[in-house]
Amino acid sequence: ANYLARAGRKVLVIEAGGDDISKPDRTTELVHVWQETGAWALYSRFDRISEDGRLVSEDVYLPMLNHALRNYWIDGDQIKLLHGAVSAYAKEAISLVGSDPPLAMTEDGVVSAALHFHQKPVHFLDKSLVMYRENPQALSNAGRNDRSYDAIVVAERKAARMALYFRNFNEWLIDYWSRLVGVNDNPAVAGFVERTVRDESRLYSMMNAWIDDS
């Protein structure tokens, strides 16, 4: 973030997961729309592929209507939630996060929150630009189809790590918001529901401790 902040020219950082495949025109499309709209972040549709590369479904869009972040603001239905695998960020968006980001599972929720706090523009491209690989070993996949003892142990360890990441993220959110109060009076700062975030942070702390000790 510090390096990008010092860069004198305009910079667009395009996310590319190591197990995903960007389509040939992805960079061109993103840069064109970024220059045209002035958005601080962009995201698109994607195609789902299996672990071995077989096409599962095309032109997928995840509105994430039940995402936890929507409960953290009075106007939570207005937040534009980025999907890390298909996102791109202007250097200004990364600088908004600051030099001390939380140890979170992914960066997309962190950037989404920072952009919402500052009411910065996010643009959705209604076009599939990435082939998103579904990997059963990924942290977000709890292995629900396999109920063997070993699979259950792996799932619980994943849940403990996710709880730790979510707790870190929630604590960062509260600290980030507290530094904006009295400085920035936009609706996203005024509408932040601190009590909900603190309650969930305590819940995640208990989950992490309980699973780790079990």
Side-chain angles (χ1 to χ4, degrees):
N2 290 335
Y3 171 77
L4 290 171
R6 292 195 301 269
R9 59 188 183 279
K10 296 182 69 176
V11 175
L12 182 69
V13 178
I14 299 174
E15 287 290 314
D19 56 351
D20 300 329
I21 302 172
S22 291
K23 294 188 177 181
D25 59 345
R26 185 184 180 209
T27 298
T28 300
E29 290 274 356
L30 287 170
V31 170
H32 172 73
V33 174
W34 172 53
Q35 293 175 333
E36 188 176 68
T37 65
W40 284 46
L42 309 99
Y43 63 111
S44 70
R45 291 183 181 271
F46 58 91
D47 297 343
R48 293 166 57 224
I49 58 175
S50 64
E51 188 176 12
D52 59 3
R54 291 179 293 105
L55 181 66
V56 176
S57 58
E58 296 181 283
D59 295 327
V60 178
Y61 165 58
L62 292 181
M64 295 186 280
L65 298 177
N66 297 321
H67 196 286
L69 273 180
R70 298 199 183 280
N71 299 320
Y72 296 170
W73 279 273
I74 294 173
D75 64 342
D77 59 327
Q78 299 300 311
I79 186 172
K80 292 186 176 180
L81 294 169
L82 298 160
H83 184 310
V86 294
S87 293
Y89 314 119
K91 72 168 186 177
E92 291 83 2
I94 297 175
S95 296
L96 273 185
V97 173
S99 58
D100 189 26
L103 180 61
M105 186 170 69
T106 60
E107 88 295 330
D108 46 6
V110 177
V111 180
S112 295
L115 290 169
H116 188 62
F117 268 131
H118 292 274
Q119 301 285 275
K120 298 302 182 182
V122 176
H123 188 86
F124 170 65
L125 281 75
D126 193 10
K127 180 177 182 180
S128 175
L129 298 177
V130 172
M131 299 177 73
Y132 177 66
R133 194 180 307 273
E134 297 186 332
N135 185 344
Q137 304 304 316
L139 183 59
S140 58
N141 188 312
R144 288 185 292 271
N145 294 327
D146 185 350
R147 303 311 300 167
S148 66
Y149 174 79
D150 288 345
I152 291 172
V153 171
V154 169
E156 289 189 349
R157 287 174 177 168
K158 286 182 179 181
R161 288 173 61 195
M162 290 179 70
L164 175 63
Y165 291 149
F166 291 153
R167 185 205 69 187
N168 291 343
F169 175 54
N170 283 7
E171 291 178 350
W172 173 84
L173 266 179
I174 293 168
D175 179 67
Y176 195 93
W177 166 79
S178 68
R179 288 183 273 119
L180 293 175
V181 174
V183 178
N184 194 328
D185 60 356
N186 72 51
V189 176
F192 183 67
V193 188
E194 179 190 7
R195 180 175 178 177
T196 297
V197 184
R198 288 194 183 279
D199 287 346
E200 292 209 0
S201 182
R202 285 191 286 267
L203 174 62
Y204 289 133
S205 293
M206 288 189 294
M207 290 174 60
N208 175 252
W210 177 73
I211 295 173
D212 274 353
D213 292 341
S214 60

